[in-house]
Amino acid sequence: MDFSDGFVSKEHRELHRSASESADPLSVSPLHISPRSPKSPKSPKSPKSPRSPKMQGKHGKGSPLKQDRHSHSSVDGRPKKGGSGGKGTWGGLLDTDENDVLDPNDPNFNSSEECENPIAKKERVDFEEYKKKATIIVEEYFTTDDITSTANEFRELDRPNYSYYFVKKLVSKAMDRHDKEKEMAAVLLSALYAEFIDPPQVYKGFCKLVECADDLIVDIPDTVDVLALFIARAVVDDILPPAFLKKEMNYLPKDSKGVEVLKRAEKGYLAAPLHAEIIERRWGGSKKRTVEDVKAKINNLLIEYVVSGDKKEACRCIKDLKVPFFHHEIVKRALVMAMERRQAEGRLLDLLKEAAEEGLINSSQVSKGFGRMIDYVDDLSLDIPNARGILQSLISKAASEGWLCASSLKSLSLEPEKRSLEDSVARIFKTKAQSIIQEYFLSGDILEVNSCLESENSTYSSELNAIFVKRLITLAMDRKNREKEMASVLLSSLCFPADDVVNGFVMLIESADDTALDNPVVVEDLAMFLARSVVDEVLAPQHLEEIGSQCAAPESIGSKVLKMAKSLLKARLSGERILRCWGGGGSSRPGWAVEDVKDKIGKLLEEFESGGGVREACRCMKELGMPFFNHEVVKKALVAIMEKKNERLWILLEECFGSGLITMNQMTKGFGRVAESLEDLALDVPDVQKQFTRYVERAKNAGWLDSSFSFSKSGHITENGTG
C-alpha cells in the first residue's frame, strides 16, 4: 500500500508493518464458498452490517481500522450472491461468461468452432439428416417396389436442393445389386423426374456419380459398364440431355474412370443401331410393361382422342407413356385409324401435326411410322379398298404441312405388286397357321401339327409352307427359350422341302427391319434359328449362300444375320452349343452332355449287336434328340465292324440311312473321322486300311457317300471330306 499521500497516521503505519511481517507470502487459504446469511444486509455500507468476527476479536470495538474497513473503490470486494465473485476470488464453479472469446493459443482450440457460423452448421446437420433418410427410402424401395409410396416419402423430405444426393444414392446402390434393382432405379428416376426432382438436380446427381467413378470401382468392379448404361438409359428416357456427355468430359481428368464411363455410354450404347430398344430392355425391359401393353395404351388414347378431340390431353398421355423410341407406333396406328375411319382423318392428322411441331414426336419417329405403313399397305388393302391411294394422300397432306419429310420415305406405287397366290388364301392360311402354332406351344404335339397342316395345305403349296415357316419363327422369337426350342424341333420334324424353308427364311430376313422395332435382338435370334436349321440338317450349308444371294445388301440386317450364322457354325463344338442354346430337347430339359451321348450310343450299338431289333435301335437314336451327332453312330459302328468283323451293325446303318435318320452329311463326317483314326486303329487291327477301303466303296455304291470322297494312306481326307 502506498502511504506517500500523507493522510495516514504513524500508528497506522506501525500496525500495517507488523501485519505484513507476520503474513506468510507463500500460504494460500483454501477456497471456501459460504452460504449467504439470510439476515445479511443487501448493502455493505449499511450501518447494521456485522463486523468480521476475526477482525473484531483482534482489534476490538475501538480499533482504529474501524473507519478504514470500507474500500474507497466503487467495486464491491465481498462475495456476491452464491458465495462467489468477490475481489480476489475465483468466481463460482458453474459460472460462464457469454462474452468469452476463443483463444487461438489455447491447446484445446478447434478452428471449426471459430470458422463455422451457425447457419453453415445448421445446413451441415440438415444435410447429414437428409442423407440418412434418403438412404432409408432407397433401401425400402428396393424391398417394396412401390413407386407411389416412395414418391410420397421423397416429397416429405422437402429438401429440393439436396435431391441430387438422392439421385446419386439411388444409382450407386442399384449398381451393386441385380438387374432387377437396376431396372427399378431407372424406372423410379423417370417417375420422379420434373414433378419431384428438378432436372438440374438430376443433372448434378449424375455429375457427382461420374466424378466419383474412381471410388466406386473399388467396391463395384464393373462400374464403368454399369454407370455408362445408367447414363445411356437416362438419355433414352429423356431425363438427361445428350450434351451431358461432352460437357462433363471437359471437366474430368483424361485418365479418370469418369471419362471411360462417358466414352462407353456414347460409343458403346448410344451409338449402336436400335440403341433405344436395346438399352430399354437391357435389365429386363420396361418393368411390368410389355410391348403389347404399350400398343394397347396407344390404341386407347387414340380412340379417346377421336371421341373427345382434346389434343392437350392426348399429348399428355403420349408423354406419360415415356417411350419416345416407340412413337413410330403412335404414327402408324393413327394412320391406320384415319384410313379406317375417314371422318376422323382430319382430327388424327391434327394430333400428329401438333405432336411433331412441339417435338413430342421427333421427325425420325414420324418418318419411321409412315415407312412402316408403306410396308404394311398391301396387307391393309385386304380390308381397306384403295388403301394405297388413301395412304398416298395422307403422305401428301403431311408433307405439304411441313411435318413430314417425304423424300426420306420409300416410293409408293399405286399399283400393288403381283402375287402368285391369292391374297384371300394367304390371309386365311396365316390366321389358321397362327392358331396351329399357338396350340402347339401349349401341347407340344407334333403329330397334331402335321395333321392340321395336311388339312389346311392339302395341295402342299410351297408358298404356304414358306408362310408357315415365317410365322412359326416370328411367333417363337417373341416368346421364351422353351418356345424357340419347340419351334426348331417342329421345323426339323415337318420335313418341308429345303427350298420352302429357304424361302421362309428369306421372307423373315426381308421383314427383319419391321421385326426389329418390337424385337431389338432380331439379328441374334434369326442367326441362331438359321444355324440351328443347318445343325438339324433342315438346310444344307450351301443354302446359306442361296439366302445371301437374295438378301445381298452389304449393310442390311440380312447380311448381318448370315454373317453371324456362319460364325456360329464355324465355332468349335458348334453343333453341341447351338443345340443347347435354348435348353435342348424341345422342353425345359437341358441337352445331353457329350460324354453321356457317346456312352448311350455305345450301349445302343452293343444291344443291337447282341440281337436287338432295328426299330428299337432307331427309336433310341431319335430319343437322343441330337441329329447333328449321328456321325458318332457311324464312327462307332464302323470301328466295331472292323474290329469284330461282324457286319450286323452295317444293317443298322443301312436302315438309318434309308429312313433318313442318318443323312449323307453325317455319313461323310462319320467315315471321315474313322479315316483320321486309321493309324491308331492299325495297332489293334492290322488290316484296318484294307477293310476301310472296302467299306468306303460299299458306301459309295449304296449312295451313302459322294463319289468324290477319298482319303490318303495316312488316313487324311483329301477331297470332299469334312471329318
Side-chain angles (χ1 to χ4, degrees):
M1 183 180 294
D2 185 10
F3 298 117
S4 62
D5 53 8
F7 290 105
V8 182
S9 65
K10 183 178 180 180
E11 184 182 2
H12 282 177
R13 292 183 183 183
E14 288 295 326
L15 285 173
H16 177 73
R17 183 178 61 78
S18 63
S20 300
E21 289 175 354
S22 64
D24 183 1
L26 299 177
S27 65
V28 178
S29 61
L31 179 63
H32 179 68
I33 301 176
S34 301
R36 177 185 170 185
S37 171
K39 295 181 180 180
S40 292
K42 292 182 181 180
S43 173
K45 296 181 181 180
S46 173
K48 294 182 180 180
S49 296
R51 297 175 183 271
S52 168
K54 183 178 180 181
M55 293 299 291
Q56 188 172 346
K58 186 178 178 181
H59 301 291
K61 282 186 179 182
S63 170
L65 292 178
K66 173 183 173 183
Q67 303 299 326
D68 204 49
R69 279 184 42 82
H70 304 293
S71 171
H72 295 285
S73 171
S74 60
V75 179
D76 186 0
R78 288 185 302 170
K80 296 180 181 178
K81 183 179 180 181
S84 61
K87 185 175 181 180
T89 65
W90 290 357
L93 291 177
L94 302 179
D95 283 354
T96 58
D97 189 350
E98 293 180 358
N99 295 323
D100 286 345
V101 178
L102 294 174
D103 183 6
N105 297 320
D106 189 339
N108 296 321
F109 175 74
N110 185 353
S111 61
S112 64
E113 293 179 4
E114 177 71 16
C115 299
E116 187 174 25
N117 60 55
I119 297 176
K121 184 176 182 180
K122 185 177 183 303
E123 288 181 354
R124 179 174 57 80
V125 173
D126 286 348
F127 185 54
E128 291 299 324
E129 188 67 22
Y130 180 91
K131 287 164 70 174
K132 293 177 183 177
K133 291 181 179 179
T135 303
I136 293 171
I137 292 174
V138 170
E139 294 287 357
E140 287 182 353
Y141 171 64
F142 287 146
T143 302
T144 62
D145 194 13
D146 188 342
I147 293 178
T148 304
S149 175
T150 302
N152 291 333
E153 290 178 5
F154 178 79
R155 192 199 296 272
E156 290 173 4
L157 291 178
D158 195 24
R159 290 289 187 274
N161 292 337
Y162 298 153
S163 297
Y164 73 88
Y165 178 80
F166 183 86
V167 175
K168 177 186 174 185
K169 178 59 67 174
L170 176 65
V171 174
S172 60
K173 284 280 187 184
M175 286 171 62
D176 200 24
R177 297 188 176 226
H178 298 296
D179 284 355
K180 176 190 173 187
E181 285 79 9
K182 294 183 179 75
E183 178 66 22
M184 288 171 64
V187 171
L188 181 62
L189 281 179
S190 294
L192 298 181
Y193 180 74
E195 186 175 354
F196 294 89
I197 303 178
D198 293 334
Q201 290 290 313
V202 175
Y203 192 103
K204 184 177 179 181
F206 276 98
C207 287
K208 296 288 185 184
L209 284 163
V210 173
E211 289 168 4
C212 69
D214 292 282
D215 297 328
L216 289 172
I217 204 167
V218 175
D219 299 319
I220 309 170
D222 56 348
T223 289
V224 172
D225 187 64
V226 178
L227 184 53
L229 190 53
F230 263 111
I231 292 172
R233 176 66 178 268
V235 172
V236 168
D237 288 343
D238 284 336
I239 65 173
L240 199 63
F244 168 84
L245 286 82
K246 294 290 184 185
K247 288 183 179 179
E248 189 63 18
M249 205 175 294
N250 294 331
Y251 296 114
L252 295 171
K254 292 184 178 180
D255 59 344
S256 68
K257 291 296 179 184
V259 172
E260 289 185 35
V261 169
L262 296 172
K263 287 181 178 178
R264 178 73 59 85
E266 182 181 21
K267 298 178 181 178
Y269 291 111
L270 295 173
L274 302 173
H275 65 271
E277 292 87 341
I278 294 172
I279 293 169
E280 184 80 12
R281 301 186 184 188
R282 180 64 181 270
W283 293 320
S286 297
K287 189 173 68 63
K288 296 182 179 177
R289 187 170 60 175
T290 64
V291 173
E292 293 304 318
D293 292 336
V294 177
K295 288 181 178 179
K297 289 183 178 181
I298 291 171
N299 198 53
N300 291 336
L301 80 85
L302 289 175
I303 291 173
E304 289 177 8
Y305 167 70
V306 168
V307 174
S308 67
D310 189 345
K311 281 190 285 189
K312 186 176 180 181
E313 177 64 16
C315 288
R316 186 191 65 78
C317 291
I318 292 172
K319 188 175 181 181
D320 286 347
L321 287 175
K322 296 185 185 299
V323 285
F325 60 88
F326 203 58
H327 283 168
H328 55 79
E329 182 70 18
I330 298 174
V331 177
K332 178 193 170 188
R333 287 182 177 267
L335 293 174
V336 171
M337 196 173 290
M339 294 171 71
E340 291 176 340
R341 307 180 184 185
R342 299 307 305 279
Q343 70 277 9
E345 177 184 312
R347 182 168 284 185
L348 288 164
L349 289 181
D350 285 344
L351 174 62
L352 293 180
K353 180 182 178 182
E354 178 85 8
E357 289 179 346
E358 291 191 1
L360 187 59
I361 301 178
N362 62 44
S363 58
S364 174
Q365 294 290 312
V366 172
S367 297
K368 189 177 287 187
F370 273 91
R372 291 182 65 196
M373 279 300 298
I374 292 173
D375 294 335
Y376 178 62
V377 71
D378 286 332
D379 291 333
L380 206 58
S381 297
L382 302 175
D383 300 317
I384 304 174
N386 193 29
R388 285 175 172 270
I390 298 172
L391 179 58
Q392 185 66 60
S393 69
L394 295 177
I395 292 173
S396 300
K397 288 180 182 178
S400 64
E401 291 175 356
W403 54 275
L404 171 67
C405 179
S407 61
S408 64
L409 302 178
K410 303 175 185 176
S411 60
L412 176 64
S413 62
L414 295 178
E415 292 297 325
E417 297 176 1
K418 293 183 178 180
R419 299 189 179 187
S420 56
L421 195 67
E422 289 293 329
D423 286 331
S424 58
V425 175
R427 183 184 172 198
I428 293 171
F429 181 78
K430 285 179 183 178
T431 304
K432 292 185 176 179
Q434 182 154 330
S435 299
I436 293 170
I437 294 165
Q438 289 173 339
E439 182 67 27
Y440 166 67
F441 285 153
L442 293 173
S443 66
D445 192 342
I446 295 176
L447 294 177
E448 179 65 21
V449 175
N450 273 315
S451 175
C452 292
L453 282 177
E454 286 178 2
S455 61
E456 298 299 337
N457 185 16
S458 56
T459 59
Y460 298 100
S461 167
S462 296
E463 291 185 49
L464 294 184
N465 285 344
I467 289 173
F468 186 85
V469 171
K470 178 189 175 185
R471 183 66 61 180
L472 172 65
I473 295 176
T474 300
L475 290 175
M477 285 194 297
D478 201 29
R479 293 177 177 242
K480 297 181 179 179
N481 285 350
R482 174 181 176 273
E483 286 77 8
K484 291 175 183 174
E485 175 65 24
M486 292 177 71
S488 290
V489 172
L490 178 60
L491 194 59
S492 64
S493 303
L494 290 176
C495 299
F496 281 166
D499 288 341
D500 296 353
V501 178
V502 167
N503 291 334
F505 273 103
V506 169
M507 292 166 65
L508 280 164
I509 291 173
E510 287 176 346
S511 63
D513 288 304
D514 289 337
T515 308
L517 299 174
D518 296 329
N519 179 12
V521 292
V522 64
V523 173
E524 291 84 349
D525 281 351
L526 272 180
M528 189 59 74
F529 270 111
L530 196 54
R532 177 64 181 269
S533 297
V534 174
V535 167
D536 287 342
E537 298 189 343
V538 175
L539 296 177
Q542 59 265 30
H543 285 129
L544 297 182
E545 303 302 327
E546 183 179 342
I547 294 173
S549 66
Q550 299 184 51
C551 308
E555 295 301 322
S556 66
I557 286 185
S559 64
K560 294 178 182 178
V561 169
L562 288 168
K563 185 177 180 181
M564 184 174 288
K566 290 176 181 178
S567 177
L568 290 169
L569 291 167
K570 287 179 181 178
R572 184 173 177 272
L573 300 175
S574 60
E576 293 85 339
R577 291 178 179 178
I578 292 169
L579 183 86
R580 293 188 190 137
C581 64
W582 293 316
S587 68
S588 59
R589 173 179 64 83
W592 300 104
V594 174
E595 293 304 319
D596 292 339
V597 176
K598 289 182 177 180
D599 184 56
K600 289 179 180 295
I601 289 172
K603 290 179 179 178
L604 179 156
L605 295 176
E606 287 177 6
E607 288 180 7
F608 177 76
E609 197 174 12
S610 300
V614 173
R615 186 172 297 178
E616 178 65 17
C618 291
R619 186 188 64 80
C620 291
M621 287 176 61
K622 287 181 180 178
E623 286 183 352
L624 287 176
M626 298 181 75
F628 66 90
F629 206 57
N630 283 342
H631 55 78
E632 181 72 15
V633 177
V634 178
K635 177 194 170 186
K636 285 186 177 293
L638 280 173
V639 171
I641 291 170
M642 292 188 293
E643 285 180 342
K644 300 177 182 178
K645 295 184 172 54
N646 182 354
E647 293 197 354
R648 179 171 168 78
L649 288 173
W650 190 266
I651 298 172
L652 176 62
L653 293 180
E654 284 180 336
E655 180 64 27
C656 290
F657 184 81
S659 63
L661 191 58
I662 298 179
T663 63
M664 179 182 288
N665 186 36
Q666 293 293 313
M667 281 287 187
T668 303
K669 281 186 178 181
F671 273 84
R673 291 181 62 198
V674 173
E676 290 175 351
S677 62
L678 286 178
E679 290 184 359
D680 294 332
L681 287 172
L683 300 175
D684 299 320
V685 185
D687 63 339
V688 68
Q689 183 86 22
K690 183 179 178 181
Q691 288 192 65
F692 184 66
T693 303
R694 186 171 72 252
Y695 286 121
V696 167
E697 291 303 318
R698 286 181 63 179
K700 287 182 180 180
N701 293 334
W704 300 359
L705 300 175
D706 190 86
S707 58
S708 60
F709 180 90
S710 61
F711 61 97
S712 64
K713 290 186 178 180
S714 61
H716 295 292
I717 301 170
T718 58
E719 186 179 358
N720 200 35
T722 57

